[in-house]
Amino acid sequence: MTFTSTGELLGGLAFFFFGLHSVREGMQLYAGDRLRNILLRLTDNRVKAFSFGALVTMILQSSSATSALLVGLADGGLLTLNQAFAVILGADVGTTAVVFLLAAHSVHAYALVAITIGFGLYLVASQRSLRYLGQIISGIGLVFYGIAITVHAMEPFREAHWVQELLAALAVNPFWAVVGAALFTALVRSSAATLGIALSLAYSGILTLDGALPFVLGANLGTTITAAMAAVGGNVNARRVAGAHLVSKLIGVVIVFPWMGAAAVGLHTLSGLLRTWQTPFDGGVGLEIALAHFLFNFGVTLVFLPLLPIGVRLICRLIPEGIQPERYGPRYLDERALETPSLALAQAAREVLRIAGLAHEAFHHSIALFERGPDFFAVVERIEAVDDKLDCLDRGVRFFLAKMSQELLTEEQVKAQLGLLDIGSSLEEVGDIVSKEMIQLGRKRHDRQRTFSDEGLDELRVYHAKLEDLFTIVIGCLTTHDPVLARDAEGRSRMLISMEEDLRLAHLRRLHEGVKESIETSSIHIDLLSDFKHVAQKLGHVARISLEPGR
């Protein structure tokens, strides 16, 4: 063992980890908003949620990342516990695809070819999707090149006495190998990375299957630690998702751990059967490690997926509701999702819907500022409380979107990011129109003890009701992204903008007729019509943005 071999080992690991990062980033960019659409389509169908979890993890290249994101989504109420647990089971199976890819030892010889092709495609391709594909191909090449270097660098370690003594100690007490692998997996947030190193040790002849199985169990257990850490400080749903993941994996490890010897014999037999087929695997320890990882996770799924409702009830009993301090703020934003732009945009879009709901609520109460019956100060207090919430959410969304790395965003995602910022700003301005301008007009009317004429007040009520209908349609646009709804909203907005001029002329007619109430409230009435028109303009603007590409 020399300084050169140690440097070669560290360099190989650097290539390996950088390649994994490059593949993951390229997959996220290549998938784009498909990942967001997958999450938005999750249902209570456990098989469908399981399948989506497997697919998402193939894109994220890490079940740890998926489970941590699911904890954040459950914390915000975006997913139920049933949905999240089914997705996690799928994620655990999905991550085995990466390990099978790493176990395809025969393709290591083509690592430099893959790097060359991928890098060349990244440089010369004009389409973004082809550039992302080039990044994925070159990243895969870097992973395999890193493994090849690591295997070569580990050969001198095979004869090192301390390595032999360590492996002998772990063989006597494999429990510590499980613990060490679990902690390392939690540190690097990827079971594939842990198993990739185990594969390198196996290829270099240092690690046998019997010695590798504790690493497989530890890597699977370590993925739950990431989710558990993510759940710290979260609500009861977040803790339940993390708890369900931990309990399922822990039960699996406890069941398999005493039978690792028998499992190794079975894997040898299965590997021998597969060796007779034409596969890219060499049929040695590498394939056996990949099979062990797959069969463990598939076995956990076979046990827990059919028993999902029972398992959820058990977790709910183990982690009861308790007393939660009430707090208001962004519900769906999770900074862990910033590494996956499509998920981050989905979360921000969900929060913008809450902003739209609050703006609608504030506007709904605004007409009461000018009615004769309601308690004026109670209405003001209600509107200001809603506006404070609206400002809080708008600020949270803006800061969240500002943290997104522009390097990770596709062109469509950049448009979606700017669109969400614009929509949030427009809705926040609607809230300001109500909480500042309309309240000021209402206070002027109340302090002067003025009332509108019956005809004038009826016109304002009709105008307000039509604007509420427009609000409902605009929220529908943001929810469904339906172009028919968006065009309908735009048309209604233009009609209501024109309506303001008609109502202004009707008010002037009452002034000419000498209607006492109209004369006393003229400036308030005209300014209120102007505020209503501004709301119609803002809502029309939101509807137009919802039609733009990327939304």
Side-chain angles (χ1 to χ4, degrees), residues 23 25 40 63 71 81 103 116-117 122 144 195 214 262 301 306 350 377 456 470 490 504 519:
V23 171
E25 182 180 291
L40 292 177
S63 60
V71 166
L81 183 57
T116 304
I117 293 174
Y122 182 83
F144 286 127
L195 294 177
T301 298
R350 191 72 181 269
F377 294 105
L470 175 59
E490 276 197 284
R504 187 186 294 264
I519 295 172

Side-chain angles (χ1 to χ4, degrees), residues 317-380:
R317 287 189 177 184
L318 292 175
I319 307 176
E321 287 280 353
I323 300 176
Q324 294 291 322
E326 188 175 352
R327 53 173 182 158
Y328 192 85
R331 181 183 299 167
Y332 303 112
L333 304 183
D334 181 1
E335 293 199 4
R336 292 179 292 269
L338 291 172
E339 298 178 5
T340 310
S342 50
L343 291 179
L345 290 171
Q347 293 178 357
R350 191 72 181 269
E351 210 67 60
V352 165
L353 276 176
R354 294 182 69 204
I355 293 175
L358 289 172
H360 187 194
E361 182 181 353
F363 183 76
H364 170 75
H365 294 306
S366 64
I367 193 64
L369 295 168
F370 308 96
E371 299 277 10
R372 300 184 181 92
D375 182 343
F376 175 78
F377 294 105
V379 175
V380 170

Side-chain angles (χ1 to χ4, degrees), residues 172-193:
V172 174
N173 195 349
F175 171 78
W176 294 111
V178 174
V179 173
L183 294 176
F184 181 78
T185 301
L187 179 66
V188 299
R189 296 185 60 185
S190 173
S191 59

Side-chain angles (χ1 to χ4, degrees), residues 366-372 376 438 441-446 448-461 507 510-511 515-529 532:
S366 64
I367 193 64
L369 295 168
F370 308 96
E371 299 277 10
R372 300 184 181 92
F376 175 78
M438 290 188 186
L441 292 175
R443 184 171 282 113
K444 187 185 296 185
R445 181 202 65 81
H446 179 270
R448 295 178 182 177
Q449 297 184 342
R450 306 296 192 207
T451 58
F452 293 113
S453 67
D454 291 339
E455 184 181 357
L457 184 57
D458 285 341
E459 290 174 354
L460 290 172
R461 287 169 177 161
H507 175 71
R510 287 190 293 272
L511 289 180
V515 178
K516 179 176 177 293
E517 293 87 353
S518 297
I519 295 172
E520 292 175 343
T521 61
S522 181
S523 63
I524 298 173
H525 195 113
I526 293 297
D527 288 345
L528 183 57
L529 287 174
F532 281 175

Side-chain angles (χ1 to χ4, degrees), residues 227-429:
M229 293 175 62
V232 174
N235 64 15
V236 66
N237 286 330
R239 297 197 301 276
R240 284 172 175 172
V241 169
H245 195 203
L246 174 61
V247 168
S248 63
K249 283 296 183 76
L250 189 58
I251 290 175
V253 169
V254 169
I255 291 173
V256 174
F257 186 79
W259 303 97
M260 285 192 297
V265 173
L267 288 168
H268 279 308
T269 303
L270 181 58
S271 176
L273 292 174
L274 293 177
R275 192 181 298 122
T276 61
W277 299 353
Q278 293 296 322
T279 68
F281 307 101
D282 61 5
V285 180
L287 175 60
E288 292 166 356
I289 291 174
L291 285 171
H293 185 44
F294 170 76
L295 291 174
F296 176 84
N297 285 286
F298 190 68
V300 169
T301 298
L302 286 179
V303 172
F304 285 98
L305 192 61
L307 302 175
L308 193 59
I310 299 174
V312 167
R313 286 197 294 271
L314 175 62
I315 288 296
C316 289
R317 287 189 177 184
L318 292 175
I319 307 176
E321 287 280 353
I323 300 176
Q324 294 291 322
E326 188 175 352
R327 53 173 182 158
Y328 192 85
R331 181 183 299 167
Y332 303 112
L333 304 183
D334 181 1
E335 293 199 4
R336 292 179 292 269
L338 291 172
E339 298 178 5
T340 310
S342 50
L343 291 179
L345 290 171
Q347 293 178 357
R350 191 72 181 269
E351 210 67 60
V352 165
L353 276 176
R354 294 182 69 204
I355 293 175
L358 289 172
H360 187 194
E361 182 181 353
F363 183 76
H364 170 75
H365 294 306
S366 64
I367 193 64
L369 295 168
F370 308 96
E371 299 277 10
R372 300 184 181 92
D375 182 343
F376 175 78
F377 294 105
V379 175
V380 170
E381 185 177 353
R382 188 180 300 119
I383 290 174
E384 288 180 340
V386 172
D387 187 62
D388 288 342
K389 293 179 180 179
L390 196 158
D391 290 340
C392 174
L393 295 188
D394 178 62
R395 185 166 53 250
V397 170
R398 281 190 284 108
F399 288 160
F400 180 77
L401 291 174
K403 292 178 182 178
M404 295 182 68
S405 173
Q406 297 299 307
E407 296 177 357
L408 294 178
L409 298 180
T410 65
E411 186 176 349
E412 293 297 303
Q413 288 172 341
V414 170
K415 291 178 181 178
Q417 178 193 37
L418 295 177
L420 289 172
L421 287 169
D422 198 353
I423 290 171
S425 177
S426 298
L427 293 170
E428 195 270 338
E429 288 177 25

Side-chain angles (χ1 to χ4, degrees), residues 47-343:
V47 176
K48 191 174 183 180
F50 167 83
S51 302
F52 283 160
L55 180 59
V56 168
T57 303
M58 290 180 189
I59 295 172
L60 292 181
Q61 301 294 303
S62 172
S63 60
S64 299
T66 303
S67 58
L69 284 170
L70 288 171
V71 166
L73 295 175
D75 190 13
L78 189 59
L79 291 178
T80 65
L81 183 57
N82 281 38
Q83 291 170 330
F85 194 17
V87 175
I88 282 179
L89 291 174
D92 292 336
V93 173
T95 193
T96 64
V98 182
V99 181
F100 271 112
L101 184 65
L102 297 177
H105 193 202
S106 59
V107 303
H108 293 184
Y110 303 101
L112 293 177
V113 176
I115 294 173
T116 304
I117 293 174
F119 185 65
L121 187 61
Y122 182 83
L123 285 180
V124 304
S126 57
Q127 296 182 6
R128 284 177 175 265
S129 59
L130 291 177
R131 295 183 65 190
Y132 301 147
L133 182 61
Q135 182 176 342
I136 295 169
I137 294 173
S138 62
I140 292 173
L142 286 170
V143 168
F144 286 127
Y145 187 61
I147 287 180
I149 294 176
T150 303
V151 170
H152 182 266
M154 282 182 176
E155 289 181 359
F157 290 83
R158 191 188 313 172
E159 307 300 328
H161 292 293
W162 66 271
V163 173
Q164 296 176 2
E165 292 173 0
L166 176 62
L167 292 176
L170 292 177
V172 174
N173 195 349
F175 171 78
W176 294 111
V178 174
V179 173
L183 294 176
F184 181 78
T185 301
L187 179 66
V188 299
R189 296 185 60 185
S190 173
S191 59
T194 303
L195 294 177
I197 293 175
L199 287 169
S200 298
L201 291 169
Y203 291 145
S204 62
I206 296 176
L207 196 64
T208 63
L209 177 61
D210 296 272
L213 286 180
F215 287 92
V216 174
L217 297 181
N220 279 282
L221 193 58
T223 59
T224 68
I225 298 176
T226 304
M229 293 175 62
V232 174
N235 64 15
V236 66
N237 286 330
R239 297 197 301 276
R240 284 172 175 172
V241 169
H245 195 203
L246 174 61
V247 168
S248 63
K249 283 296 183 76
L250 189 58
I251 290 175
V253 169
V254 169
I255 291 173
V256 174
F257 186 79
W259 303 97
M260 285 192 297
V265 173
L267 288 168
H268 279 308
T269 303
L270 181 58
S271 176
L273 292 174
L274 293 177
R275 192 181 298 122
T276 61
W277 299 353
Q278 293 296 322
T279 68
F281 307 101
D282 61 5
V285 180
L287 175 60
E288 292 166 356
I289 291 174
L291 285 171
H293 185 44
F294 170 76
L295 291 174
F296 176 84
N297 285 286
F298 190 68
V300 169
T301 298
L302 286 179
V303 172
F304 285 98
L305 192 61
L307 302 175
L308 193 59
I310 299 174
V312 167
R313 286 197 294 271
L314 175 62
I315 288 296
C316 289
R317 287 189 177 184
L318 292 175
I319 307 176
E321 287 280 353
I323 300 176
Q324 294 291 322
E326 188 175 352
R327 53 173 182 158
Y328 192 85
R331 181 183 299 167
Y332 303 112
L333 304 183
D334 181 1
E335 293 199 4
R336 292 179 292 269
L338 291 172
E339 298 178 5
T340 310
S342 50
L343 291 179

